[in-house]
């Protein structure tokens, strides 16, 4: 054919003439057709093509509310089949990748702490704790709570993945809701949204099993990028703080000078609690917060636990994070004007090994009840963990979520729910002998430490924390957003005694060398 000549800008866009151009020649020959470009122009063209490809992928996702609800229904349909490979047909890898890329673009510019001043149209804020890949239970929770909307904001407090069989489905579902309703959904980071935990507790293997080694490896890397840019906390109407593990240290440890009782704090190091300003200016910890350097605050937020002991000290049983007592919670609340702290992070089987704190088998507990307000734990994965070696040791806990309403937004209402049974067939993606990251078993009486339970200056009055009876008979079909099944008849929460399971405690150092 006759050779033709066109004029092309450096960025690859065609021009009719004028301006700085690079001449290109298209040659039709017997062996085929090819283009000749100067190398600088080719590089810029490829960059532009990649950019346009990313934007086009985003546009292929139906990110309107109805479209996203349809995608979630497809995910639910795949889960119901009991076949892990069904997911890549109902939700192709390209759709997952596009979702993750758009989410990373949305989260990256956000600050570590999301400040929420609710609009007059918002009637309630729902706070969801750990869901741990239990996708059917997440759908059940959303039916009870209602979908996010202009009148209802939902805060997800981390730990979307690991242990449960449907971490991909759970995390992508929440991401899709966030993308379609950005002002009505807040996503926070949990300790399991990290490289080490996802390699050890199943999520990495899950992604590869559902999308194959080649595509799954690419997706897993993108999942980690999204994990690394998730916010750490949110402050709701200046009075309620939500974060995954809890309070964090300020600066370095110091040796106290005063005695407590008849003994000194001999070899113990004391820490002072940090401030919201410090948290607002902190790093989010990268892909694997390790408790050191700039990742210290993020690690504390993700891994710390409350205790009945006074003071703030290192969480030796977890090997990372802090333990903080009711006096520390009081000091933080008074300094920041906070009336309610909501955290998650602890599972009921882990709490059963901490007898000085309230029972968590009902999905929530009031851990610190001080003059300035309350610190509560909410756990939203019922019948956790999904897999146990000995059914006699299964805790069969309830899940719960909290509802905050005006005028003060600091008085939580707890809604309990049971796990949907039977669960769809599913694979277990982590080893049965994996160390338990959720177990924290502190010695109740350490020399020199004072427990608040002795003289009970701080109490936990569970009768002030109303709960909703669960309704296990709701329609278990894949339909995601059925009419919310709020129950009007309330009763006081009566904690049940869960069977104590035997699990290994984790030392963070023991998995430091795990390939990340």
């Amino acid at each position: 054919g006759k050779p033709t000549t066109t004029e092309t800008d450096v960025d690859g866009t065609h021009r009719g003439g004028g301006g700085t151009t690079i001449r290109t020649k298209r040659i039709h020959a017997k062996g085929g057709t090819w283009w000749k470009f100067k190398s600088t122009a080719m590089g810029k063209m490829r960059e532009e093509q990649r950019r346009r490809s990313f934007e086009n992928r985003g546009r292929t996702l139906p990110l309107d509310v109805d479209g996203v609800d349809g995608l979630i229904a497809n995910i639910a349909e795949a889960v119901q089949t009991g076949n892990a490979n069904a997911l890549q047909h109902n939700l192709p890898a390209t759709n997952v990748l596009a979702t993750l890329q758009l989410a990373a673009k949305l989260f990256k510019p956000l600050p570590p702490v999301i400040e929420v001043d609710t609009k007059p149209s918002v009637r309630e804020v729902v706070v969801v704790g750990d869901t741990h890949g239990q996708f059917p239970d997440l759908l059940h929770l959303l039916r009870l709570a209602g979908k996010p909307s202009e009148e209802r904001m939902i805060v997800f407090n981390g730990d979307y993945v690991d242990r449960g069989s449907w971490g991909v489905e759970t995390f992508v579902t929440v991401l899709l809701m966030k993308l379609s309703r950005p002002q009505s959904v807040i996503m926070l980071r949990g300790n399991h949204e990290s490289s080490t935990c996802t390699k050890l507790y199943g999520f990495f293997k899950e992604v590869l099993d559902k999308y194959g080694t080649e595509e799954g490896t690419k997706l897993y890397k993108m999942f980690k990028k999204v994990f690394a840019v998730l916010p750490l906390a949110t402050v709701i109407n200046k009075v309620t703080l939500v974060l995954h593990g809890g309070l964090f240290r300020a600066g370095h440890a110091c040796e106290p000078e005063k005695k407590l009782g008849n003994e000194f704090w001999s070899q113990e190091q004391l820490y002072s609690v940090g401030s919201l300003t410090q948290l607002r200016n902190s790093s989010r910890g990268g892909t694997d917060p390790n408790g050191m350097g700039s990742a210290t605050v993020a690690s504390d937020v993700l891994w710390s636990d409350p205790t009945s002991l006074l003071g703030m000290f290192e969480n030796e049983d977890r090997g990372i994070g802090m333990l903080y007592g009711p006096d520390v919670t009081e000091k933080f609340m008074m300094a920041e004007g906070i009336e309610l702290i909501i955290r998650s992070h602890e599972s009921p089987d882990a709490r059963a090994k901490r007898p000085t704190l309230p029972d968590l088998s009902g999905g929530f507990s009031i851990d610190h009840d001080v003059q300035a307000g309350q610190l509560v734990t909410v756990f939203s994965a019922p019948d956790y963990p999904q897999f146990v070696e000995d059914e006699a040791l299964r805790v069969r806990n309830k899940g719960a979520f909290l509802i905050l309403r005006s005028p003060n937004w600091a008085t939580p209402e707890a809604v309990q729910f049971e796990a949907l049974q039977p669960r769809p067939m599913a694979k277990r993606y982590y080893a049965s002998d994996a160390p338990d990251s959720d177990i924290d078993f502190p010695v109740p009486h350490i020399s020199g430490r004072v427990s608040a339970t002795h003289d009970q200056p701080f109490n936990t009055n569970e009768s002030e924390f109303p709960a909703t009876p669960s309704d296990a008979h709701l329609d278990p079909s894949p339909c995601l957003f059925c009419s919310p099944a709020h129950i009007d008849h309330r009763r006081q929460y009566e904690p049940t005694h869960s069977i104590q399971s035997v699990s290994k405690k984790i030392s963070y150092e023991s998995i430091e060398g795990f390939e990340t």
Side-chain angles (χ1 to χ4, degrees):
K2 182 179 177 181
T4 59
T5 300
T6 60
E7 298 235 339
T8 311
D9 273 320
V10 195
D11 64 356
T13 57
H14 293 283
R15 294 177 58 89
T20 304
T21 61
I22 292 182
R23 186 169 296 278
T24 65
K25 183 171 288 186
R26 183 176 64 193
I27 302 174
H28 296 267
K30 201 170 185 179
T33 304
W34 64 91
W35 288 78
K36 288 185 178 180
F37 294 94
K38 286 187 177 180
S39 58
T40 54
M42 177 64 81
K44 288 188 175 289
M45 285 186 67
R46 286 176 176 168
E47 182 179 349
E48 176 69 11
Q49 288 170 352
R50 284 194 296 268
R51 184 186 68 80
R52 289 178 177 176
S53 175
F54 165 73
E55 291 178 350
N56 288 336
R57 274 202 304 272
R59 282 194 289 267
T60 61
L61 282 176
L63 292 180
D64 60 287
V65 171
D66 292 337
V68 162
D69 291 354
L71 286 174
I72 297 173
N74 288 344
I75 295 172
E77 181 181 323
V79 169
Q80 290 294 328
T81 66
N83 182 356
N85 295 326
L87 183 62
Q88 61 181 306
H89 298 291
N90 285 28
L91 189 72
T94 52
N95 282 2
V96 178
L97 183 61
T99 301
L100 294 171
Q101 288 174 323
L102 292 172
K105 186 177 180 181
L106 175 65
F107 288 127
K108 190 173 182 179
L110 296 180
V113 181
I114 306 299
E115 312 285 346
V116 174
D117 292 315
T118 55
K119 298 178 181 179
S121 61
V122 177
R123 294 187 298 106
E124 60 186 30
V125 176
V126 175
V127 182
V128 178
D130 299 28
T131 49
H132 277 300
Q134 296 185 190
F135 180 76
D137 298 318
L138 171 65
L139 297 193
H140 187 39
L141 182 155
L142 290 171
R143 293 187 202 107
L144 286 167
K147 63 183 178 181
S149 64
E150 292 184 359
E151 297 181 344
R152 180 182 300 105
M153 178 179 292
I154 301 184
V155 178
F156 292 90
N157 200 19
D159 277 13
Y160 312 87
V161 302
D162 283 341
R163 297 192 181 278
S165 296
W166 305 285
V168 173
E169 293 87 340
T170 298
F171 190 63
V172 170
T173 291
V174 180
L175 284 181
L176 288 170
M177 288 194 294
K178 173 66 177 176
L179 292 172
S180 64
R181 308 162 173 91
Q183 303 303 318
S184 300
V185 176
I186 294 177
M187 294 180 65
L188 303 180
R189 187 178 190 177
N191 63 302
H192 278 264
E193 279 72 62
S194 63
S195 179
T196 297
C197 281
T198 52
K199 285 281 184 78
L200 193 58
Y201 297 106
F203 183 68
F204 171 65
K205 290 183 179 179
E206 178 191 343
V207 177
L208 267 60
D209 182 55
K210 292 176 178 177
Y211 286 97
T213 302
E214 183 177 353
E215 292 292 338
T217 300
K218 295 177 184 177
L219 290 178
Y220 177 68
K221 289 180 179 179
M222 197 64 212
F223 272 112
K224 291 198 297 182
K225 289 182 180 180
V226 176
F227 293 161
V229 293
L230 287 172
L232 298 176
T234 184
V235 177
I236 300 170
N237 291 325
K238 299 181 176 60
V239 293
T240 295
L241 172 66
V242 184
L243 68 179
H244 185 70
L247 299 181
F248 47 95
R249 76 192 88 176
H252 300 287
C254 61
E255 294 293 339
E257 297 180 357
K258 71 173 186 176
K259 292 170 62 176
L260 292 176
N262 296 321
E263 301 181 26
F264 286 99
W265 285 66
S266 58
Q267 298 179 350
E268 297 296 332
Q269 289 183 317
L270 289 179
Y271 292 82
S272 59
V273 67
S275 66
L276 281 178
T277 299
Q278 180 187 359
L279 182 56
R280 290 183 179 107
N281 295 322
S282 71
S283 159
R284 280 176 267 198
T287 58
D288 213 10
N290 59 7
M292 297 182 290
S294 62
T296 301
V297 171
S299 302
D300 285 355
V301 167
L302 299 178
W303 284 92
S304 294
D305 296 301
T307 177
S308 59
L309 303 173
L310 301 182
M312 172 175 268
F313 39 92
E314 293 180 5
N315 194 336
E316 296 176 356
D317 293 277
R318 285 193 189 271
I320 188 171
M322 307 297 290
L323 290 171
Y324 51 94
D327 57 323
V328 175
T329 298
E330 173 93 60
K331 180 179 179 180
F332 179 86
M333 288 179 143
M334 295 290 286
E336 302 293 346
I338 296 294
E339 300 174 20
L340 176 68
I341 299 175
I342 301 175
R343 45 93 61 178
S344 301
H345 186 40
E346 276 186 281
S347 60
D349 57 338
R351 178 60 68 85
K353 300 182 182 301
R354 304 219 294 158
T356 61
L357 287 177
D359 176 70
L360 193 53
S361 62
F364 68 92
S365 64
I366 303 175
D367 301 325
H368 293 161
D369 192 2
V370 297
Q371 184 177 356
Q374 293 179 331
L375 179 139
V376 304
T377 297
V378 59
F379 192 81
S380 301
D383 195 20
Y384 174 89
Q386 181 180 348
F387 299 98
V388 294
E389 291 302 302
D390 185 351
E391 283 296 321
L393 299 178
R394 185 177 287 278
V395 176
R396 304 188 189 282
N397 62 286
K398 295 180 180 179
F401 58 89
L402 303 180
I403 302 176
L404 307 176
R405 293 191 177 94
S406 61
N408 62 9
W409 300 100
T411 304
E413 174 189 319
V415 180
Q416 297 173 293
F417 62 99
E418 301 275 4
L420 285 181
Q421 300 290 355
R423 286 172 168 147
M425 295 288 293
K427 296 180 181 179
R428 178 177 183 160
Y429 292 107
Y430 66 99
S432 59
D433 60 348
D436 195 333
S437 68
D438 298 322
I439 294 299
D440 175 22
F441 198 168
V443 179
H445 304 293
I446 299 176
S447 177
R449 276 187 200 154
V450 180
S451 172
T453 59
H454 290 171
D455 300 322
Q456 295 184 341
F458 307 100
N459 58 67
T460 55
N461 186 356
E462 293 176 352
S463 65
E464 297 175 2
F465 210 72
T468 300
S470 62
D471 186 351
H473 305 292
L474 292 179
D475 178 16
S477 67
C479 172
L480 174 64
F481 294 127
C482 303
S483 300
H486 291 299
I487 299 175
D488 296 325
H489 301 289
R490 308 286 178 180
R491 63 171 172 80
Q492 292 184 349
Y493 168 56
E494 298 175 0
T496 58
H497 297 286
S498 59
I499 301 174
Q500 294 190 4
S501 60
V502 179
S503 303
K504 297 179 181 179
K505 65 181 181 182
I506 187 173
S507 171
Y508 196 80
E509 287 79 3
S510 68
I511 59 175
E512 226 171 26
F514 199 88
E515 183 181 356
T516 59

